[in-house]
Amino acid sequence: MSELAASGTVGAPPARSGPTDLATMIGRCLRLSARNVEALIMSLMLPIMLMLLFVYLFGGAIDTGTSYVSYVVPGVILLCAGFGSATTAVAVHQDMTGGIADRFRSMDISGASVLGGQVAASVARNLVSTVLVFGVAFLIGFRPHAGLVDWLAAGGILLAFILAMSWLAAVVGLLARSVEAANGFTFFMTFLPYPSSAFVPIDSMPAWSRGIAEHQPVNPVIESLRGLLLDTPVGNSPWIALTWCAGLLAVSVTLAVVLFRRRTG
């Protein structure tokens, strides 16, 4: 017994498993999302309603060189990511202010698992919303011309963008001092697609706004998705999109880890 005690095996807490912790946190966040029915319905249905609004009320007056529903789908998908990331910011803020994060820390659950669970749940919500948007788009006339490789490339870029936005939302949740402030992230994220080629061609914009539209992170993602799905030239847009996503992801993950340690230290 003395040898066991000296080795630290008697009375020592069981070793934690990082993957097990992460899987537990993902399951917890998904269950919480399913219970918040109002927020879930809003995040799933609002992008679809906006797509129907643009297609049937404004689409006939906008010349894009193709059917407007085919043109507008990539922008609506990025709106989904905006709504979903705002939900993540609120969820992270509630974890940090509700005492649950301190309890997790006392149970030796890593901060990476706590934040990773929220991010994974955000990605899952966004993927479900994206599938719904595509489903409705097909019903109202969306006809892509993409092959398997194009679909895979578009899916990879979209996943990178959703992941980057979800980690950025986690940072906002850690910084926010109130639920209202965290929820205000919705406005920022849903605004970004508007000064871009999401709903109208950039050439139709005033000269002063074209520079903004062409040099913000959302536009190359939209151009990449549209080009890949409609089988039109994409140029350097995929690489620019991935560079933006990688940069945002690296900065967001680093800030999230540092802020979580400071908030729970």
Side-chain angles (χ1 to χ4, degrees):
M1 286 290 293
S2 60
E3 291 181 0
L4 291 174
S7 66
T9 57
V10 173
R16 303 295 302 182
S17 171
T20 301
D21 285 348
L22 180 58
T24 301
M25 292 298 102
I26 292 174
R28 167 187 175 263
C29 295
L30 289 175
R31 287 191 297 272
L32 290 175
S33 296
R35 291 170 187 169
N36 192 355
V37 178
E38 294 84 359
L40 185 62
I41 292 176
M42 181 63 69
S43 64
L44 294 178
M45 297 306 298
L46 191 55
I48 294 175
M49 294 171 62
L50 285 174
M51 179 173 64
L52 296 175
L53 175 70
F54 274 96
V55 170
Y56 288 112
L57 294 187
F58 305 136
I62 301 175
D63 182 15
T64 61
T66 184
S67 67
Y68 190 69
V69 63
S70 298
Y71 183 88
V72 81
V73 164
V76 174
I77 290 173
L78 264 64
L79 282 177
C80 295
F83 289 120
S85 61
T87 303
T88 304
V90 172
V92 170
H93 172 76
Q94 290 174 335
D95 276 355
M96 300 308 299
T97 57
I100 191 68
D102 293 332
R103 179 174 294 183
F104 288 150
R105 293 280 286 181
S106 68
M107 296 167 63
D108 197 27
I109 295 176
S110 68
S113 296
V114 177
L115 295 176
Q118 294 287 3
V119 170
S122 174
V123 172
R125 288 192 301 267
N126 275 286
L127 291 179
V128 172
S129 183
T130 298
V131 170
L132 288 176
V133 168
F134 271 120
V136 175
F138 277 112
L139 290 176
I140 63 176
F142 177 56
R143 298 295 181 266
H145 306 288
L148 177 59
V149 175
D150 294 329
W151 274 106
L152 292 175
I157 293 172
L158 180 60
L159 182 60
F161 180 79
I162 291 173
L163 191 61
M165 291 300 101
S166 297
W167 274 105
L168 180 59
V171 172
V172 174
L174 291 166
L175 289 172
R177 297 302 177 186
S178 67
V179 172
E180 291 76 15
N183 197 42
F185 186 59
T186 305
F187 173 79
F188 172 74
M189 286 307 304
T190 55
F191 175 76
L192 275 179
Y194 290 96
S196 73
S197 63
F199 303 108
V200 297
I202 290 180
D203 293 342
S204 67
M205 297 180 181
W208 63 268
S209 63
R210 272 180 226 160
I212 298 174
E214 291 172 348
H215 299 91
Q216 54 124 318
V218 168
N219 197 68
V221 178
I222 293 172
E223 291 293 328
S224 300
L225 295 180
R226 184 178 292 127
L228 290 168
L229 294 178
L230 300 183
D231 194 24
T232 58
V234 294
N236 294 325
S237 293
W239 300 113
I240 297 174
L242 290 174
T243 300
W244 268 110
C245 292
L248 288 172
L249 183 61
V251 172
S252 298
V253 171
T254 302
L255 285 176
V257 171
V258 171
L259 290 170
F260 187 87
R261 287 177 179 172
R262 287 185 178 179
R263 292 286 299 270
T264 59

